[in-house]
Amino acid sequence: MTTAALARDAAPALPLPALDEAALAARYEQQGYLHLPGIVSASTVRRLGALLYGEFARLAEDFRQRTGARLDDAAELADFLARQGDLDAWFLAQPRDMQHLMRGEFPLEVRQRDELRLLAGEAALTGTLRRLIGSPTLRLHFPPMLRFKVPGVNRSEVPLHQDGPYFPHIHEFATVWLPFCTIDEACGGVNVLEGSHRLGPLRHGQATLWGNYVDAEAGHARFTDRHIEMEPGDALIFGPHLLHYSHPNTSTRVRCSIDSRWFGASTSSSRQYYDVERGELVRAF
């Protein structure tokens, strides 16, 4: 699929939902997440979708020049990785930019682009976050994470985990996951274990490629496992303790997404963040 076609696939035409504050808060508390259709404006989705898919095309070409394999071709990529021998050892020996590509992550210079601050101007989204967090002020951990998932590349799928261990510098926050193509059973997005946030913080294991994860066989089967199907402009919001993981991408589409962390002024952070009310970046201290 061409970059232009991918960008067109990222353009929604969805209305903003009517938000019932009390009902949303109760649902968020009960199930541990919210799926909010059409809450991000079409103009912001178009601009950010064009950014992500344009940058993916650039990264894919750079990867081909360096390795001879196409980053967006699962068979070629699998063949390339099979020739590396011990994958964990090979991964650890790679420069940071190659490690990011193997995890399906955009590099830091893309994550720091000014266009990403458009999310802070989305009134329906930020208003909902203020109500859910219980804070009149809002901060966005910056930069957010930008990801791509190529069809059939299983090594870029994130295992079962909570977000809390990845962000120990933020005590309480809400994660917002935004897709930039249609998320259906084939082009999978995020699976959540409904209600699992009530477990609180869990012990996580360590893996070379993905770092923190929760053992999938550790007794969490009592929670309903839901794959959230979404459209561009939808948001999936959940807290630091909800168990979730990547759904496999078996479609023909590259899946690009943004996941960001939002918190109130009563929560301190030792990392850089964007102050939504002041409209400025606050440097790490």
Side-chain angles (χ1 to χ4, degrees), residues 122-170:
E122 290 291 320
L125 176 64
T126 57
T128 300
L129 287 167
R130 288 187 183 92
R131 292 189 286 272
L132 295 178
I133 293 172
S135 172
T137 58
L138 198 59
R139 297 169 174 178
L140 165 63
H141 174 76
F142 201 89
M145 181 57 70
L146 279 57
R147 305 183 195 273
F148 60 86
K149 300 301 175 191
V150 175
V153 181
N154 296 333
R155 288 185 66 84
S156 66
E157 293 172 8
V158 186
L160 186 70
H161 69 286
Q162 299 172 320
D163 276 2
Y166 286 92
F167 298 90
H169 55 284
I170 311 175

mmCIF file of all heavy atoms in Angstrom, residues 122-170:
data_model
loop_
_atom_site.group_PDB
_atom_site.id
_atom_site.type_symbol
_atom_site.label_atom_id
_atom_site.label_comp_id
_atom_site.label_asym_id
_atom_site.label_seq_id
_atom_site.Cartn_x
_atom_site.Cartn_y
_atom_site.Cartn_z
ATOM 1 N N GLU A 122 -7.197 19.290 21.748
ATOM 2 C CA GLU A 122 -8.449 18.575 21.489
ATOM 3 C C GLU A 122 -9.344 18.680 22.726
ATOM 4 O O GLU A 122 -9.209 17.924 23.692
ATOM 5 C CB GLU A 122 -8.156 17.122 21.142
ATOM 6 C CG GLU A 122 -7.508 16.937 19.793
ATOM 7 C CD GLU A 122 -8.463 17.272 18.658
ATOM 8 O OE1 GLU A 122 -9.665 16.910 18.764
ATOM 9 O OE2 GLU A 122 -8.023 17.894 17.673
ATOM 10 N N ALA A 123 -10.283 19.628 22.689
ATOM 11 C CA ALA A 123 -11.059 19.984 23.883
ATOM 12 C C ALA A 123 -11.896 18.820 24.418
ATOM 13 O O ALA A 123 -12.002 18.634 25.633
ATOM 14 C CB ALA A 123 -11.952 21.179 23.579
ATOM 15 N N ALA A 124 -12.518 18.045 23.527
ATOM 16 C CA ALA A 124 -13.345 16.923 24.004
ATOM 17 C C ALA A 124 -12.486 15.883 24.718
ATOM 18 O O ALA A 124 -12.874 15.353 25.766
ATOM 19 C CB ALA A 124 -14.089 16.289 22.832
ATOM 20 N N LEU A 125 -11.316 15.613 24.176
ATOM 21 C CA LEU A 125 -10.419 14.640 24.784
ATOM 22 C C LEU A 125 -9.862 15.145 26.112
ATOM 23 O O LEU A 125 -9.926 14.441 27.131
ATOM 24 C CB LEU A 125 -9.265 14.314 23.830
ATOM 25 C CG LEU A 125 -8.194 13.367 24.371
ATOM 26 C CD1 LEU A 125 -8.786 11.990 24.659
ATOM 27 C CD2 LEU A 125 -7.033 13.259 23.384
ATOM 28 N N THR A 126 -9.323 16.357 26.119
ATOM 29 C CA THR A 126 -8.713 16.862 27.346
ATOM 30 C C THR A 126 -9.760 17.116 28.429
ATOM 31 O O THR A 126 -9.495 16.918 29.616
ATOM 32 C CB THR A 126 -7.905 18.143 27.080
ATOM 33 O OG1 THR A 126 -8.753 19.130 26.478
ATOM 34 C CG2 THR A 126 -6.727 17.857 26.156
ATOM 35 N N GLY A 127 -10.967 17.532 28.035
ATOM 36 C CA GLY A 127 -12.027 17.719 29.022
ATOM 37 C C GLY A 127 -12.411 16.410 29.685
ATOM 38 O O GLY A 127 -12.612 16.342 30.902
ATOM 39 N N THR A 128 -12.498 15.346 28.891
ATOM 40 C CA THR A 128 -12.803 14.024 29.442
ATOM 41 C C THR A 128 -11.696 13.560 30.372
ATOM 42 O O THR A 128 -11.962 13.010 31.455
ATOM 43 C CB THR A 128 -12.996 13.013 28.300
ATOM 44 O OG1 THR A 128 -14.083 13.443 27.474
ATOM 45 C CG2 THR A 128 -13.294 11.625 28.846
ATOM 46 N N LEU A 129 -10.454 13.773 29.974
ATOM 47 C CA LEU A 129 -9.328 13.362 30.809
ATOM 48 C C LEU A 129 -9.322 14.099 32.147
ATOM 49 O O LEU A 129 -9.046 13.508 33.191
ATOM 50 C CB LEU A 129 -8.016 13.599 30.070
ATOM 51 C CG LEU A 129 -7.725 12.624 28.923
ATOM 52 C CD1 LEU A 129 -6.569 13.130 28.070
ATOM 53 C CD2 LEU A 129 -7.418 11.233 29.462
ATOM 54 N N ARG A 130 -9.631 15.386 32.129
ATOM 55 C CA ARG A 130 -9.692 16.138 33.393
ATOM 56 C C ARG A 130 -10.727 15.534 34.336
ATOM 57 O O ARG A 130 -10.502 15.416 35.547
ATOM 58 C CB ARG A 130 -10.016 17.603 33.118
ATOM 59 C CG ARG A 130 -8.879 18.402 32.489
ATOM 60 C CD ARG A 130 -9.221 19.886 32.415
ATOM 61 N NE ARG A 130 -8.174 20.641 31.754
ATOM 62 C CZ ARG A 130 -8.148 20.908 30.447
ATOM 63 N NH1 ARG A 130 -9.142 20.483 29.670
ATOM 64 N NH2 ARG A 130 -7.151 21.593 29.924
ATOM 65 N N ARG A 131 -11.881 15.149 33.783
ATOM 66 C CA ARG A 131 -12.938 14.575 34.626
ATOM 67 C C ARG A 131 -12.533 13.203 35.164
ATOM 68 O O ARG A 131 -12.783 12.878 36.321
ATOM 69 C CB ARG A 131 -14.237 14.486 33.824
ATOM 70 C CG ARG A 131 -14.840 15.852 33.482
ATOM 71 C CD ARG A 131 -16.222 15.720 32.894
ATOM 72 N NE ARG A 131 -16.206 15.239 31.529
ATOM 73 C CZ ARG A 131 -16.105 16.008 30.448
ATOM 74 N NH1 ARG A 131 -15.978 17.319 30.584
ATOM 75 N NH2 ARG A 131 -16.133 15.491 29.231
ATOM 76 N N LEU A 132 -11.900 12.399 34.322
ATOM 77 C CA LEU A 132 -11.515 11.056 34.753
ATOM 78 C C LEU A 132 -10.385 11.094 35.774
ATOM 79 O O LEU A 132 -10.379 10.313 36.736
ATOM 80 C CB LEU A 132 -11.087 10.218 33.543
ATOM 81 C CG LEU A 132 -12.163 9.903 32.510
ATOM 82 C CD1 LEU A 132 -11.568 9.111 31.357
ATOM 83 C CD2 LEU A 132 -13.322 9.137 33.132
ATOM 84 N N ILE A 133 -9.430 12.003 35.569
ATOM 85 C CA ILE A 133 -8.297 12.116 36.479
ATOM 86 C C ILE A 133 -8.686 12.857 37.745
ATOM 87 O O ILE A 133 -8.088 12.672 38.810
ATOM 88 C CB ILE A 133 -7.115 12.825 35.763
ATOM 89 C CG1 ILE A 133 -6.585 11.937 34.633
ATOM 90 C CG2 ILE A 133 -5.992 13.176 36.729
ATOM 91 C CD1 ILE A 133 -5.568 12.614 33.741
ATOM 92 N N GLY A 134 -9.717 13.711 37.650
ATOM 93 C CA GLY A 134 -10.154 14.506 38.792
ATOM 94 C C GLY A 134 -9.266 15.700 39.043
ATOM 95 O O GLY A 134 -8.983 16.043 40.194
ATOM 96 N N SER A 135 -8.823 16.328 37.962
ATOM 97 C CA SER A 135 -7.936 17.481 38.086
ATOM 98 C C SER A 135 -8.346 18.560 37.094
ATOM 99 O O SER A 135 -8.597 18.263 35.922
ATOM 100 C CB SER A 135 -6.491 17.061 37.810
ATOM 101 O OG SER A 135 -5.632 18.191 37.751
ATOM 102 N N PRO A 136 -8.423 19.834 37.535
ATOM 103 C CA PRO A 136 -8.753 20.913 36.602
ATOM 104 C C PRO A 136 -7.590 21.256 35.680
ATOM 105 O O PRO A 136 -7.770 21.939 34.679
ATOM 106 C CB PRO A 136 -9.076 22.094 37.532
ATOM 107 C CG PRO A 136 -8.268 21.812 38.761
ATOM 108 C CD PRO A 136 -8.261 20.316 38.914
ATOM 109 N N THR A 137 -6.399 20.789 36.040
ATOM 110 C CA THR A 137 -5.222 21.033 35.207
ATOM 111 C C THR A 137 -4.738 19.708 34.627
ATOM 112 O O THR A 137 -4.984 18.643 35.175
ATOM 113 C CB THR A 137 -4.087 21.673 36.020
ATOM 114 O OG1 THR A 137 -3.744 20.809 37.112
ATOM 115 C CG2 THR A 137 -4.516 23.029 36.561
ATOM 116 N N LEU A 138 -4.027 19.797 33.505
ATOM 117 C CA LEU A 138 -3.654 18.592 32.784
ATOM 118 C C LEU A 138 -2.242 18.726 32.236
ATOM 119 O O LEU A 138 -1.836 19.789 31.748
ATOM 120 C CB LEU A 138 -4.641 18.357 31.636
ATOM 121 C CG LEU A 138 -4.712 16.966 31.010
ATOM 122 C CD1 LEU A 138 -5.089 15.920 32.051
ATOM 123 C CD2 LEU A 138 -5.714 16.972 29.868
ATOM 124 N N ARG A 139 -1.507 17.616 32.323
ATOM 125 C CA ARG A 139 -0.155 17.555 31.784
ATOM 126 C C ARG A 139 -0.016 16.321 30.884
ATOM 127 O O ARG A 139 -0.596 15.281 31.173
ATOM 128 C CB ARG A 139 0.870 17.486 32.926
ATOM 129 C CG ARG A 139 0.867 18.722 33.808
ATOM 130 C CD ARG A 139 1.690 18.516 35.063
ATOM 131 N NE ARG A 139 1.802 19.754 35.840
ATOM 132 C CZ ARG A 139 2.431 19.850 37.003
ATOM 133 N NH1 ARG A 139 2.991 18.760 37.550
ATOM 134 N NH2 ARG A 139 2.493 21.003 37.636
ATOM 135 N N LEU A 140 0.749 16.476 29.831
ATOM 136 C CA LEU A 140 1.003 15.400 28.876
ATOM 137 C C LEU A 140 2.473 15.019 28.948
ATOM 138 O O LEU A 140 3.347 15.849 28.658
ATOM 139 C CB LEU A 140 0.629 15.856 27.461
ATOM 140 C CG LEU A 140 1.143 15.027 26.281
ATOM 141 C CD1 LEU A 140 0.574 13.612 26.321
ATOM 142 C CD2 LEU A 140 0.786 15.723 24.956
ATOM 143 N N HIS A 141 2.767 13.772 29.365
ATOM 144 C CA HIS A 141 4.150 13.297 29.329
ATOM 145 C C HIS A 141 4.659 13.433 27.906
ATOM 146 O O HIS A 141 4.015 12.974 26.951
ATOM 147 C CB HIS A 141 4.206 11.842 29.781
ATOM 148 C CG HIS A 141 5.563 11.216 29.633
ATOM 149 N ND1 HIS A 141 6.598 11.486 30.496
ATOM 150 C CD2 HIS A 141 6.049 10.350 28.717
ATOM 151 C CE1 HIS A 141 7.670 10.806 30.126
ATOM 152 N NE2 HIS A 141 7.356 10.109 29.044
ATOM 153 N N PHE A 142 5.813 14.096 27.743
ATOM 154 C CA PHE A 142 6.278 14.416 26.396
ATOM 155 C C PHE A 142 7.744 14.034 26.237
ATOM 156 O O PHE A 142 8.561 14.388 27.092
ATOM 157 C CB PHE A 142 6.081 15.917 26.131
ATOM 158 C CG PHE A 142 6.039 16.249 24.662
ATOM 159 C CD1 PHE A 142 4.837 16.234 23.979
ATOM 160 C CD2 PHE A 142 7.203 16.545 23.972
ATOM 161 C CE1 PHE A 142 4.789 16.526 22.631
ATOM 162 C CE2 PHE A 142 7.170 16.836 22.629
ATOM 163 C CZ PHE A 142 5.963 16.823 21.945
ATOM 164 N N PRO A 143 8.084 13.301 25.154
ATOM 165 C CA PRO A 143 7.206 12.990 24.026
ATOM 166 C C PRO A 143 6.373 11.734 24.259
ATOM 167 O O PRO A 143 6.766 10.864 25.040
ATOM 168 C CB PRO A 143 8.205 12.758 22.886
ATOM 169 C CG PRO A 143 9.404 12.186 23.561
ATOM 170 C CD PRO A 143 9.484 12.899 24.890
ATOM 171 N N PRO A 144 5.236 11.622 23.563
ATOM 172 C CA PRO A 144 4.448 10.388 23.629
ATOM 173 C C PRO A 144 5.137 9.279 22.834
ATOM 174 O O PRO A 144 6.135 9.525 22.140
ATOM 175 C CB PRO A 144 3.115 10.794 22.988
ATOM 176 C CG PRO A 144 3.486 11.901 22.052
ATOM 177 C CD PRO A 144 4.611 12.641 22.709
ATOM 178 N N MET A 145 4.606 8.077 22.926
ATOM 179 C CA MET A 145 5.148 6.954 22.160
ATOM 180 C C MET A 145 4.407 6.834 20.837
ATOM 181 O O MET A 145 3.174 6.929 20.799
ATOM 182 C CB MET A 145 5.009 5.656 22.953
ATOM 183 C CG MET A 145 5.581 4.433 22.239
ATOM 184 S SD MET A 145 7.322 4.604 21.791
ATOM 185 C CE MET A 145 8.092 4.536 23.419
ATOM 186 N N LEU A 146 5.147 6.642 19.770
ATOM 187 C CA LEU A 146 4.595 6.452 18.433
ATOM 188 C C LEU A 146 5.017 5.070 17.954
ATOM 189 O O LEU A 146 6.207 4.727 17.996
ATOM 190 C CB LEU A 146 5.125 7.514 17.463
ATOM 191 C CG LEU A 146 4.472 8.896 17.456
ATOM 192 C CD1 LEU A 146 4.503 9.557 18.816
ATOM 193 C CD2 LEU A 146 5.160 9.795 16.419
ATOM 194 N N ARG A 147 4.051 4.278 17.493
ATOM 195 C CA ARG A 147 4.356 2.903 17.112
ATOM 196 C C ARG A 147 3.828 2.565 15.714
ATOM 197 O O ARG A 147 2.848 3.143 15.244
ATOM 198 C CB ARG A 147 3.722 1.920 18.098
ATOM 199 C CG ARG A 147 4.096 2.138 19.555
ATOM 200 C CD ARG A 147 3.462 1.066 20.432
ATOM 201 N NE ARG A 147 3.508 1.420 21.829
ATOM 202 C CZ ARG A 147 4.527 1.161 22.649
ATOM 203 N NH1 ARG A 147 5.585 0.541 22.185
ATOM 204 N NH2 ARG A 147 4.490 1.516 23.919
ATOM 205 N N PHE A 148 4.486 1.591 15.086
ATOM 206 C CA PHE A 148 3.979 0.989 13.858
ATOM 207 C C PHE A 148 4.010 -0.523 14.032
ATOM 208 O O PHE A 148 4.901 -1.074 14.689
ATOM 209 C CB PHE A 148 4.800 1.415 12.630
ATOM 210 C CG PHE A 148 6.257 1.043 12.695
ATOM 211 C CD1 PHE A 148 6.708 -0.203 12.273
ATOM 212 C CD2 PHE A 148 7.187 1.955 13.173
ATOM 213 C CE1 PHE A 148 8.047 -0.540 12.334
ATOM 214 C CE2 PHE A 148 8.538 1.633 13.238
ATOM 215 C CZ PHE A 148 8.975 0.380 12.816
ATOM 216 N N LYS A 149 3.006 -1.199 13.499
ATOM 217 C CA LYS A 149 2.932 -2.658 13.555
ATOM 218 C C LYS A 149 2.732 -3.175 12.132
ATOM 219 O O LYS A 149 1.694 -2.941 11.511
ATOM 220 C CB LYS A 149 1.786 -3.132 14.450
ATOM 221 C CG LYS A 149 1.917 -2.663 15.896
ATOM 222 C CD LYS A 149 3.187 -3.143 16.557
ATOM 223 C CE LYS A 149 3.338 -2.567 17.948
ATOM 224 N NZ LYS A 149 4.677 -2.789 18.519
ATOM 225 N N VAL A 150 3.760 -3.853 11.630
ATOM 226 C CA VAL A 150 3.734 -4.392 10.278
ATOM 227 C C VAL A 150 3.010 -5.738 10.291
ATOM 228 O O VAL A 150 3.209 -6.535 11.214
ATOM 229 C CB VAL A 150 5.176 -4.545 9.749
ATOM 230 C CG1 VAL A 150 5.193 -5.215 8.382
ATOM 231 C CG2 VAL A 150 5.847 -3.169 9.682
ATOM 232 N N PRO A 151 2.164 -6.021 9.303
ATOM 233 C CA PRO A 151 1.463 -7.310 9.285
ATOM 234 C C PRO A 151 2.423 -8.493 9.372
ATOM 235 O O PRO A 151 3.441 -8.540 8.679
ATOM 236 C CB PRO A 151 0.745 -7.296 7.931
ATOM 237 C CG PRO A 151 0.556 -5.840 7.624
ATOM 238 C CD PRO A 151 1.765 -5.159 8.180
ATOM 239 N N GLY A 152 2.102 -9.423 10.275
ATOM 240 C CA GLY A 152 2.853 -10.663 10.372
ATOM 241 C C GLY A 152 4.154 -10.603 11.131
ATOM 242 O O GLY A 152 4.847 -11.614 11.245
ATOM 243 N N VAL A 153 4.525 -9.452 11.667
ATOM 244 C CA VAL A 153 5.786 -9.326 12.405
ATOM 245 C C VAL A 153 5.482 -9.458 13.893
ATOM 246 O O VAL A 153 5.200 -8.473 14.585
ATOM 247 C CB VAL A 153 6.503 -7.997 12.094
ATOM 248 C CG1 VAL A 153 7.817 -7.907 12.861
ATOM 249 C CG2 VAL A 153 6.771 -7.880 10.597
ATOM 250 N N ASN A 154 5.523 -10.665 14.400
ATOM 251 C CA ASN A 154 5.101 -10.928 15.772
ATOM 252 C C ASN A 154 6.039 -10.340 16.819
ATOM 253 O O ASN A 154 5.624 -10.065 17.947
ATOM 254 C CB ASN A 154 4.983 -12.442 15.996
ATOM 255 C CG ASN A 154 3.906 -13.073 15.137
ATOM 256 O OD1 ASN A 154 2.947 -12.409 14.763
ATOM 257 N ND2 ASN A 154 4.068 -14.338 14.802
ATOM 258 N N ARG A 155 7.307 -10.143 16.473
ATOM 259 C CA ARG A 155 8.267 -9.661 17.471
ATOM 260 C C ARG A 155 7.979 -8.235 17.904
ATOM 261 O O ARG A 155 8.499 -7.776 18.917
ATOM 262 C CB ARG A 155 9.697 -9.775 16.942
ATOM 263 C CG ARG A 155 10.209 -11.196 16.877
ATOM 264 C CD ARG A 155 11.672 -11.245 16.471
ATOM 265 N NE ARG A 155 12.536 -10.647 17.476
ATOM 266 C CZ ARG A 155 12.986 -11.283 18.551
ATOM 267 N NH1 ARG A 155 12.630 -12.535 18.766
ATOM 268 N NH2 ARG A 155 13.772 -10.680 19.408
ATOM 269 N N SER A 156 7.168 -7.508 17.152
ATOM 270 C CA SER A 156 6.841 -6.132 17.539
ATOM 271 C C SER A 156 5.573 -6.053 18.376
ATOM 272 O O SER A 156 5.139 -4.957 18.736
ATOM 273 C CB SER A 156 6.693 -5.242 16.300
ATOM 274 O OG SER A 156 5.575 -5.633 15.527
ATOM 275 N N GLU A 157 4.973 -7.207 18.695
ATOM 276 C CA GLU A 157 3.765 -7.194 19.514
ATOM 277 C C GLU A 157 4.128 -7.077 20.993
ATOM 278 O O GLU A 157 5.005 -7.780 21.489
ATOM 279 C CB GLU A 157 2.956 -8.473 19.273
ATOM 280 C CG GLU A 157 2.374 -8.549 17.861
ATOM 281 C CD GLU A 157 1.743 -9.894 17.582
ATOM 282 O OE1 GLU A 157 1.626 -10.702 18.527
ATOM 283 O OE2 GLU A 157 1.379 -10.146 16.414
ATOM 284 N N VAL A 158 3.442 -6.177 21.698
ATOM 285 C CA VAL A 158 3.728 -5.935 23.113
ATOM 286 C C VAL A 158 3.012 -6.988 23.948
ATOM 287 O O VAL A 158 1.806 -7.194 23.794
ATOM 288 C CB VAL A 158 3.264 -4.524 23.523
ATOM 289 C CG1 VAL A 158 3.689 -4.227 24.953
ATOM 290 C CG2 VAL A 158 3.833 -3.478 22.570
ATOM 291 N N PRO A 159 3.719 -7.690 24.863
ATOM 292 C CA PRO A 159 3.089 -8.739 25.668
ATOM 293 C C PRO A 159 2.191 -8.168 26.762
ATOM 294 O O PRO A 159 2.138 -6.946 26.975
ATOM 295 C CB PRO A 159 4.291 -9.472 26.271
ATOM 296 C CG PRO A 159 5.352 -8.426 26.359
ATOM 297 C CD PRO A 159 5.154 -7.542 25.158
ATOM 298 N N LEU A 160 1.501 -9.042 27.474
ATOM 299 C CA LEU A 160 0.619 -8.646 28.561
ATOM 300 C C LEU A 160 1.398 -7.852 29.619
ATOM 301 O O LEU A 160 2.441 -8.305 30.104
ATOM 302 C CB LEU A 160 0.006 -9.901 29.192
ATOM 303 C CG LEU A 160 -1.061 -9.660 30.272
ATOM 304 C CD1 LEU A 160 -2.333 -9.092 29.651
ATOM 305 C CD2 LEU A 160 -1.365 -10.977 30.996
ATOM 306 N N HIS A 161 0.873 -6.687 29.979
ATOM 307 C CA HIS A 161 1.580 -5.828 30.932
ATOM 308 C C HIS A 161 0.650 -4.753 31.466
ATOM 309 O O HIS A 161 -0.468 -4.558 30.973
ATOM 310 C CB HIS A 161 2.793 -5.162 30.270
ATOM 311 C CG HIS A 161 2.413 -4.128 29.240
ATOM 312 N ND1 HIS A 161 1.911 -4.454 27.999
ATOM 313 C CD2 HIS A 161 2.437 -2.764 29.293
ATOM 314 C CE1 HIS A 161 1.654 -3.347 27.323
ATOM 315 N NE2 HIS A 161 1.946 -2.310 28.086
ATOM 316 N N GLN A 162 1.116 -4.055 32.480
ATOM 317 C CA GLN A 162 0.519 -2.803 32.951
ATOM 318 C C GLN A 162 1.464 -1.676 32.567
ATOM 319 O O GLN A 162 2.680 -1.869 32.458
ATOM 320 C CB GLN A 162 0.349 -2.836 34.468
ATOM 321 C CG GLN A 162 -0.566 -3.930 34.987
ATOM 322 C CD GLN A 162 -0.525 -4.033 36.510
ATOM 323 O OE1 GLN A 162 0.532 -3.925 37.125
ATOM 324 N NE2 GLN A 162 -1.687 -4.241 37.124
ATOM 325 N N ASP A 163 0.927 -0.484 32.370
ATOM 326 C CA ASP A 163 1.783 0.647 31.997
ATOM 327 C C ASP A 163 2.574 1.207 33.180
ATOM 328 O O ASP A 163 3.606 1.852 32.986
ATOM 329 C CB ASP A 163 0.949 1.767 31.372
ATOM 330 C CG ASP A 163 0.693 1.539 29.886
ATOM 331 O OD1 ASP A 163 1.143 0.489 29.363
ATOM 332 O OD2 ASP A 163 0.041 2.390 29.258
ATOM 333 N N GLY A 164 2.091 0.977 34.402
ATOM 334 C CA GLY A 164 2.734 1.559 35.574
ATOM 335 C C GLY A 164 4.236 1.341 35.646
ATOM 336 O O GLY A 164 4.998 2.291 35.857
ATOM 337 N N PRO A 165 4.741 0.092 35.473
ATOM 338 C CA PRO A 165 6.183 -0.135 35.588
ATOM 339 C C PRO A 165 7.020 0.582 34.534
ATOM 340 O O PRO A 165 8.212 0.788 34.733
ATOM 341 C CB PRO A 165 6.311 -1.661 35.436
ATOM 342 C CG PRO A 165 4.990 -2.187 35.881
ATOM 343 C CD PRO A 165 3.998 -1.176 35.400
ATOM 344 N N TYR A 166 6.407 0.946 33.408
ATOM 345 C CA TYR A 166 7.140 1.667 32.371
ATOM 346 C C TYR A 166 7.258 3.160 32.691
ATOM 347 O O TYR A 166 8.070 3.864 32.093
ATOM 348 C CB TYR A 166 6.450 1.492 31.011
ATOM 349 C CG TYR A 166 6.645 0.128 30.402
ATOM 350 C CD1 TYR A 166 5.730 -0.896 30.629
ATOM 351 C CD2 TYR A 166 7.740 -0.142 29.598
ATOM 352 C CE1 TYR A 166 5.897 -2.157 30.071
ATOM 353 C CE2 TYR A 166 7.925 -1.388 29.025
ATOM 354 C CZ TYR A 166 7.002 -2.397 29.266
ATOM 355 O OH TYR A 166 7.191 -3.638 28.720
ATOM 356 N N PHE A 167 6.429 3.641 33.616
ATOM 357 C CA PHE A 167 6.422 5.067 33.958
ATOM 358 C C PHE A 167 6.459 5.245 35.476
ATOM 359 O O PHE A 167 5.543 5.834 36.062
ATOM 360 C CB PHE A 167 5.190 5.752 33.359
ATOM 361 C CG PHE A 167 5.150 5.688 31.855
ATOM 362 C CD1 PHE A 167 4.525 4.624 31.213
ATOM 363 C CD2 PHE A 167 5.756 6.665 31.098
ATOM 364 C CE1 PHE A 167 4.512 4.537 29.837
ATOM 365 C CE2 PHE A 167 5.747 6.590 29.708
ATOM 366 C CZ PHE A 167 5.123 5.531 29.079
ATOM 367 N N PRO A 168 7.520 4.764 36.131
ATOM 368 C CA PRO A 168 7.583 4.841 37.600
ATOM 369 C C PRO A 168 7.699 6.268 38.117
ATOM 370 O O PRO A 168 7.469 6.512 39.300
ATOM 371 C CB PRO A 168 8.845 4.024 37.933
ATOM 372 C CG PRO A 168 9.689 4.119 36.703
ATOM 373 C CD PRO A 168 8.719 4.119 35.557
ATOM 374 N N HIS A 169 8.042 7.202 37.232
ATOM 375 C CA HIS A 169 8.193 8.604 37.638
ATOM 376 C C HIS A 169 6.853 9.332 37.703
ATOM 377 O O HIS A 169 6.802 10.490 38.122
ATOM 378 C CB HIS A 169 9.120 9.328 36.674
ATOM 379 C CG HIS A 169 8.679 9.221 35.234
ATOM 380 N ND1 HIS A 169 8.860 8.082 34.498
ATOM 381 C CD2 HIS A 169 8.056 10.104 34.430
ATOM 382 C CE1 HIS A 169 8.373 8.269 33.277
ATOM 383 N NE2 HIS A 169 7.872 9.482 33.215
ATOM 384 N N ILE A 170 5.747 8.667 37.282
ATOM 385 C CA ILE A 170 4.409 9.269 37.365
ATOM 386 C C ILE A 170 3.552 8.355 38.237
ATOM 387 O O ILE A 170 3.295 7.208 37.869
ATOM 388 C CB ILE A 170 3.749 9.431 35.987
ATOM 389 C CG1 ILE A 170 4.707 10.086 34.988
ATOM 390 C CG2 ILE A 170 2.478 10.279 36.107
ATOM 391 C CD1 ILE A 170 4.150 10.154 33.574
#
